[in-house]
């Protein structure tokens, strides 16, 4: 068997690279579309960082003074969160 000419081999490799770049461009667009919600949520969290720091400090001080109340409210918060998740899952639009 004869080896392919260098020009033909180079053209084949260039076509392969071009196809891979096109596939990568499509995949990157799909990735950006899929992660849009996460990106928006992250931006909101970063924007609320000041308030979260103040709230966590206040919560820490309050929990030192009233540990039983903190436990009671945390249990209520988790149960409300669980109920909301249950309703969303049950009545989710398909």
């Amino acid at each position: 068997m004869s080896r392919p000419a260098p020009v033909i081999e180079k053209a084949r490799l260039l076509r392969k690279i071009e196809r891979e770049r096109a596939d990568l461009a499509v995949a990157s667009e799909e990735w950006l579309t899929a992660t849009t919600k996460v990106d928006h949520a992250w931006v909101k969290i970063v924007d609320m960082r000041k308030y979260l720091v103040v709230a966590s400090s206040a919560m820490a001080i309050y929990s030192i003074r009233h540990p039983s109340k903190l436990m009671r409210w945390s249990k209520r918060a988790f149960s409300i969160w669980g109920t909301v998740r249950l309703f969303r899952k049950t009545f989710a639009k398909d």
Side-chain angles (χ1 to χ4, degrees), residues 10-25:
K10 182 178 179 182
R12 187 184 66 78
L13 288 173
L14 286 174
R15 281 193 308 272
K16 182 179 177 184
I17 290 170
E18 187 177 323
R19 280 193 311 267
E20 289 177 355
R21 284 183 179 166
D23 291 343
L24 187 60

Side-chain angles (χ1 to χ4, degrees), residues 76-87:
R76 287 179 185 170
F78 280 119
S79 66
I80 290 170
W81 182 52
T83 305
V84 168
R85 288 184 58 209
L86 176 69
F87 281 131

